[in-house]
Amino acid sequence: MKRANVFILLLAGVLVNGKDPCWQNSYDQPLDFNCPSGQSISRIVSEHHNIYEDRMWDFGCKATFDSATNCFTSSYVNDLDKPFNYQCPSHQVITGMNSYHDNKHEDRRWKFTCCGASNFCTDSCQWTNYVNWFDEAFTFNAPPNSYLIAAESYHDNNYEDRRWKYQYCTRRSC
């Protein structure tokens, strides 16, 4: 009996919080994700819902630095319904993503956290093609030995969604 009550309480907690434990945010709610110190974002998973006209997000991180320095969070890089192309400063990588959803515009404004280290330089950078079509779920994995440094996105008012592409680089000694 006790075990069943604990399960019900745990389930109620997930429902009350409104957040699926597989995601870093809930629909229409803020997103604030940062990798642990010394790591950078290596995987991005997102799923769109047409009723909420919003996306849920999840991330994976990988070891990047012995100790990160020079970390900062950008100001908002886009206005609602507007495109953006954000790139971390030279030789820095994306370690966090932050956004809020606006129901009137059915869009998000975005900030990025970037970090670097004295012995970390980037080289041989490449852009992906768009990783999704509107209303489509997607998973982006940075290739082996590559690190995420930039994101580009545009919004469509008909679909009330964004398409995304990413830039990644290899690491070289400085």
Side-chain angles (χ1 to χ4, degrees):
M1 186 70 168
K2 280 187 176 183
R3 191 173 264 171
N5 289 339
V6 169
F7 176 75
I8 290 169
L9 288 173
L10 288 173
L11 183 59
V14 170
L15 295 175
V16 168
N17 293 334
K19 181 179 170 190
D20 183 324
C22 296
W23 300 100
Q24 296 295 322
N25 69 304
S26 298
Y27 295 117
D28 295 338
Q29 297 302 310
L31 167 69
D32 188 12
F33 177 82
N34 287 288
C35 290
S37 180
Q39 298 185 17
S40 64
I41 293 177
S42 61
R43 183 171 195 252
I44 301 173
V45 181
S46 183
E47 185 175 285
H48 185 265
H49 195 289
N50 281 326
I51 291 174
Y52 292 101
E53 295 296 4
D54 192 20
R55 287 184 168 274
M56 289 199 295
W57 296 86
D58 192 32
F59 303 92
C61 300
K62 68 178 174 182
T64 306
F65 315 105
D66 291 334
S67 62
T69 57
N70 306 322
C71 294
F72 77 98
T73 300
S74 70
S75 55
Y76 286 108
V77 301
N78 68 302
D79 289 325
L80 296 165
D81 293 338
K82 301 296 183 191
F84 71 84
N85 181 321
Y86 179 77
Q87 184 171 7
C88 287
S90 190
H91 308 302
Q92 293 195 359
V93 297
I94 296 175
T95 61
M97 294 174 68
N98 173 291
S99 68
Y100 72 87
H101 185 261
D102 180 272
N103 282 325
K104 179 181 175 191
H105 291 90
E106 297 296 6
D107 191 21
R108 286 181 173 267
R109 290 190 72 199
W110 288 91
K111 294 180 181 182
F112 294 87
T113 301
C114 299
C115 292
S118 60
N119 65 345
F120 187 94
C121 288
T122 55
D123 197 16
S124 303
C125 300
Q126 298 180 57
W127 280 97
T128 64
N129 293 323
Y130 283 101
V131 297
N132 68 304
W133 188 251
F134 298 111
D135 296 342
E136 206 176 55
F138 72 84
T139 299
F140 164 77
N141 288 298
N145 303 313
S146 294
Y147 301 88
L148 182 65
I149 68 151
E152 182 177 311
S153 181
Y154 71 94
H155 184 266
D156 183 279
N157 284 326
N158 184 46
Y159 289 100
E160 295 296 6
D161 192 20
R162 287 185 167 272
R163 292 187 73 194
W164 290 86
K165 60 180 170 178
Y166 299 101
Q167 187 179 33
Y168 57 88
C169 305
T170 59
R171 177 183 182 168
R172 69 170 169 84
S173 296
C174 310

